[in-house]
Amino acid sequence: MARDREQPISDAVIKRLPIYLRYLTYLDRMGVRTVSSHQMGKDLGLNPAQIRKDLAHFGEFGRKGIGYEVRYLIKKIRQILHLDQLIPVALVGAGHLGTALARYNAFQQDNMRIVAIFDHSPLKAGREIDGIRIQPMEELQPTVKEKDIRVGIITVPDYAAQEVADLLVEAGIEAILNFAPTIIHVPPHVRVHHADLTTELHSLAYYLRQPEYLVM
Amino acid sequence: MARDREQPISDAVIKRLPIYLRYLTYLDRMGVRTVSSHQMGKDLGLNPAQIRKDLAHFGEFGRKGIGYEVRYLIKKIRQILHLDQLIPVALVGAGHLGTALARYNAFQQDNMRIVAIFDHSPLKAGREIDGIRIQPMEELQPTVKEKDIRVGIITVPDYAAQEVADLLVEAGIEAILNFAPTIIHVPPHVRVHHADLTTELHSLAYYLRQPEYLVM
């Protein structure tokens, strides 16, 4: 869907779609059938006009006076994000964060599925996380090809992140989600997103009460 | 700073500030002294006009033809987000994600510092993560008061999240970062942000090549 369009959709719009999806999935679980952009904006802390504009990039999903049909919009956003197909994912780094992600992923029963886990430590290779065997790094390249893995998640320490990224790129991966607190460089045909666990924490601090004795 | 203003700043603006901060900190580490909103927009996938507008809410930080001074802007954003003061944080749930966060936090040497970790499991209580002792849940209330803890991070399973949120609110916490994959409810004076590890992964999927054989 995304390739034939004249004007590319901005990254900011694409980054908001999963937030809409998560919210709508919650509404669906609560039995809500339709929702207005006004209500969405209120619940998500976003401008309703922006939400309407974001969604209008992809089609006419809303109806005047009714709003959006929750299930239909979920289906559409999943299509737009390519989440209606199975996307095999490899995770590199079976430390605490990697283990948490592998378990979380299994729990969510998502179409983006971690199908292989790699770790450089011989102590970890052979162990399992939720039924997936941890493989040594040497098996990364053949496994990526064999299992048609398209996305890599990096959960290694910062000093090892670039090396792992290079291996993933060499193996033919198309996109990388990097949790290591450093910037990694990849060729232009590979997409990288940086996930930072502290971003949400930092924006929370803004809302704390200011102690009276503090001079700013 | 945030309270005396006539018009409240939208949540969307506040959520972008930590992204600017992370980016600027990276530039500073690379030795970059000034940056234009145009360059920032390009690197962050955001509209330069939006960046200028976001920052203009808080003052006149940029200079025509020069752009923003990196270190000055870092200092200002840290002030705006209240990150120039020490903010004690409690973490509840010493599983894999909690452990990863506690370690990550220590590594970052942030002003938002995890100073207490709680877990309901008697097997975990007494153990340490990077020098911080895991305490039983019964000690949450007195410890929050004693250490003047203002922010709580929830990394327990989804079914336990609401109960933990209630305990944190009762103990007097002002803000909560919830990593459990569920919505939690709190009184209006408490701020909640939901951190979802899958959001970035989902927006990545959009950029994958579409196989030719797939009919959308």
Side-chain angles (χ1 to χ4, degrees):
Chain A
M1 283 185 84
R3 329 163 70 191
D4 306 328
R5 218 167 285 117
E6 298 282 327
Q7 215 186 330
I9 308 294
S10 87
D11 293 353
V13 175
I14 300 304
K15 291 217 172 191
R16 280 192 292 271
L17 292 182
I19 296 168
Y20 301 153
L21 182 59
R22 178 180 55 184
Y23 169 73
L24 292 162
T25 305
Y26 172 75
L27 288 186
D28 184 44
R29 220 184 302 137
M30 296 291 126
V32 177
R33 304 286 290 273
T34 59
V35 65
S36 65
S37 58
H38 180 77
Q39 186 63 45
M40 282 182 76
K42 211 178 136 195
D43 289 342
L44 294 170
L46 293 168
N47 186 336
Q50 168 143 78
I51 294 171
R52 289 194 298 273
K53 203 176 143 204
D54 284 355
L55 295 174
H57 281 117
F58 305 99
E60 278 291 339
F61 301 135
R63 274 182 294 168
K64 258 214 165 97
I66 298 176
Y68 299 101
E69 217 189 300
V70 171
R71 287 207 177 164
Y72 181 72
L73 194 52
I74 288 175
K75 192 183 149 198
K76 281 296 166 186
I77 295 179
R78 289 181 64 83
Q79 279 180 2
I80 293 163
L81 291 174
H82 307 154
L83 294 174
D84 53 343
Q85 49 182 296
L86 189 70
I87 302 172
V89 176
L91 180 94
V92 185
H96 285 289
L97 181 58
T99 304
L101 278 169
R103 294 209 171 141
Y104 189 78
N105 183 75
F107 171 79
Q108 293 271 8
Q109 307 208 297
D110 210 322
N111 271 343
M112 293 193 86
R113 204 163 294 163
I114 295 171
V115 297
I117 303 172
F118 302 93
D119 198 285
H120 82 114
S121 163
L123 291 172
K124 283 180 186 160
R127 278 173 44 196
E128 282 191 3
I129 302 173
D130 273 4
I132 302 173
R133 190 173 60 90
I134 302 174
Q135 298 174 257
M137 293 302 289
E138 296 79 55
E139 294 180 15
L140 191 144
Q141 190 128 5
T143 307
V144 163
K145 297 221 184 311
E146 182 200 323
K147 296 196 170 175
D148 194 24
I149 294 171
R150 305 172 68 192
V151 176
I153 301 178
I154 297 181
T155 48
V156 299
D158 55 344
Y159 55 81
Q162 184 62 56
E163 197 187 328
V164 168
D166 293 345
L167 285 173
L168 287 169
V169 169
E170 214 181 311
I173 232 113
E174 290 171 53
I176 292 175
L177 180 57
N178 175 35
F179 277 93
T182 184
I183 307 276
I184 55 173
H185 299 280
V186 296
H189 69 274
V190 177
R191 179 92 194 176
V192 175
H193 284 189
H194 291 273
D196 189 327
L197 298 173
T198 58
T199 307
E200 282 292 341
L201 199 56
H202 284 169
S203 65
L204 255 192
Y206 176 79
Y207 299 96
L208 298 176
R209 287 188 298 275
Q210 280 297 88
E212 303 303 332
Y213 54 83
L214 259 181
V215 182
M216 295 291 283
Chain B
M1 284 186 82
R3 327 163 73 190
D4 306 327
R5 219 168 286 117
E6 298 282 327
Q7 212 185 334
I9 308 295
S10 87
D11 292 353
V13 176
I14 300 304
K15 291 218 172 191
R16 280 191 292 272
L17 292 183
I19 296 168
Y20 300 154
L21 182 59
R22 178 181 54 182
Y23 169 73
L24 292 162
T25 305
Y26 171 75
L27 288 186
D28 184 42
R29 219 183 304 138
M30 295 291 125
V32 177
R33 304 287 289 272
T34 60
V35 65
S36 65
S37 58
H38 179 78
Q39 185 63 43
M40 282 182 75
K42 211 178 133 194
D43 289 341
L44 294 170
L46 292 168
N47 186 335
Q50 169 143 77
I51 295 172
R52 288 195 299 273
K53 204 176 143 205
D54 284 355
L55 295 173
H57 280 118
F58 305 99
E60 278 290 340
F61 300 135
R63 274 182 293 169
K64 259 215 166 96
I66 298 175
Y68 299 102
E69 218 188 300
V70 171
R71 288 208 174 161
Y72 181 71
L73 194 52
I74 288 174
K75 192 181 149 199
K76 282 296 165 186
I77 294 180
R78 289 182 64 84
Q79 278 180 4
I80 293 163
L81 291 174
H82 306 154
L83 295 174
D84 53 342
Q85 49 182 295
L86 190 70
I87 302 173
V89 177
L91 180 94
V92 185
H96 285 290
L97 182 58
T99 303
L101 279 169
R103 293 210 171 141
Y104 190 78
N105 182 75
F107 172 78
Q108 294 271 6
Q109 308 208 298
D110 211 324
N111 272 343
M112 294 194 85
R113 205 162 295 164
I114 294 172
V115 297
I117 302 172
F118 302 93
D119 198 285
H120 82 115
S121 162
L123 292 172
K124 284 180 185 158
R127 279 172 42 194
E128 282 192 1
I129 301 174
D130 273 4
I132 303 173
R133 190 172 59 90
I134 302 174
Q135 299 174 256
M137 293 302 289
E138 298 77 56
E139 294 180 15
L140 191 144
Q141 191 129 6
T143 306
V144 164
K145 298 222 183 308
E146 182 199 322
K147 295 197 169 174
D148 194 24
I149 293 171
R150 306 172 68 192
V151 176
I153 301 178
I154 298 181
T155 48
V156 299
D158 54 345
Y159 56 81
Q162 185 62 55
E163 196 187 327
V164 168
D166 293 345
L167 285 173
L168 287 169
V169 168
E170 213 182 310
I173 232 114
E174 291 171 53
I176 293 174
L177 180 58
N178 175 37
F179 277 93
T182 184
I183 307 277
I184 54 173
H185 299 280
V186 295
H189 69 273
V190 177
R191 179 94 196 174
V192 175
H193 284 189
H194 291 273
D196 189 326
L197 298 173
T198 59
T199 307
E200 282 291 341
L201 199 55
H202 284 168
S203 66
L204 253 191
Y206 175 80
Y207 298 97
L208 297 176
R209 286 188 298 275
Q210 279 298 86
E212 304 303 332
Y213 55 83
L214 261 179
V215 183
M216 294 292 283

